[in-house]
Amino acid sequence: MEKQTERQHWMSVLAHSQDDELARYWKPLNLSLKWTALREPECGMARVQARAGDTGQRFVVGDVTITRAAIRLAEGLCGFSYVMGRRKAHAERCAVLDALLQHPAFYKLILEQVITPLAANRAERQQQRAREIAGSKVDFFTLVRGENP
């Protein structure tokens, strides 16, 4: 599998971020920005597919609600986002951050103050979930039985 590009990484971090976490890291930046909506945040559905055993044939798991948004900063840079759920303000904030991360003047600030802590929080959530799953793991094994008379 190919390595993620920087933009794919920050888009993934933003898409998986929690509303309250993102707001907590966004607020201290005190950025007064002007942007126009290319696409107002809107809710829709997406079909989720998976593979049996991660290598088998694809099958449809179900549908999920997603919210998407697209904005253009006054400087002309565009930002986009897709987030699971009906979270319009969150999707718009993610789109703004996507655009800011493409701006050389804001890139380092946003990366250090928002993306890095969000990525660390996500990794901690994943580790916590893995620990919970490991705690309920059941090992099955086959007993070799003798012949019954």
Side-chain angles (χ1 to χ4, degrees):
M1 187 170 167
E2 292 182 27
K3 187 171 172 78
Q4 283 185 329
T5 65
E6 270 190 290
R7 188 168 187 207
Q8 287 172 326
H9 171 70
W10 79 58
M11 295 292 284
S12 176
V13 169
L14 291 170
H16 290 96
S17 65
Q18 303 293 318
D19 297 346
D20 58 337
E21 288 178 344
L22 185 58
R24 184 172 60 235
Y25 296 121
W26 165 269
K27 206 172 251 190
L29 298 176
N30 291 324
L31 298 174
S32 57
L33 304 167
K34 294 188 180 186
W35 69 81
T36 56
L38 297 174
R39 180 183 300 274
E40 292 289 335
E42 59 186 356
C43 299
M45 299 288 282
R47 176 143 299 162
V48 179
Q49 295 183 356
R51 289 186 184 273
D54 205 28
T55 57
Q57 189 170 353
R58 288 182 184 207
F59 65 94
V60 175
V61 175
D63 296 324
V64 295
T65 305
I66 60 169
T67 304
R68 67 179 178 180
I71 62 98
R72 176 177 288 140
L73 293 177
E75 293 84 4
L77 292 168
C78 296
F80 305 90
S81 74
Y82 287 83
V83 296
M84 275 189 12
R86 296 177 173 272
R87 306 181 296 166
K88 292 182 178 183
H90 186 74
E92 186 172 46
R93 187 174 290 140
C94 289
V96 171
L97 286 166
D98 176 44
L100 288 174
L101 282 158
Q102 297 172 63
H103 195 294
F106 294 106
Y107 173 78
K108 188 175 179 183
L109 174 71
I110 302 296
L111 193 65
E112 291 174 356
Q113 300 296 318
V114 180
I115 300 301
T116 301
L118 285 175
N121 292 348
R122 179 179 178 205
E124 177 56 35
R125 282 193 306 275
Q126 289 173 329
Q127 289 172 357
Q128 178 63 30
R129 181 71 176 136
R131 285 191 296 270
E132 290 171 4
I133 291 169
S136 65
K137 182 179 178 183
V138 177
D139 289 322
F140 294 95
F141 58 93
T142 304
L143 292 174
V144 178
R145 297 182 188 196
E147 293 182 17
N148 292 333

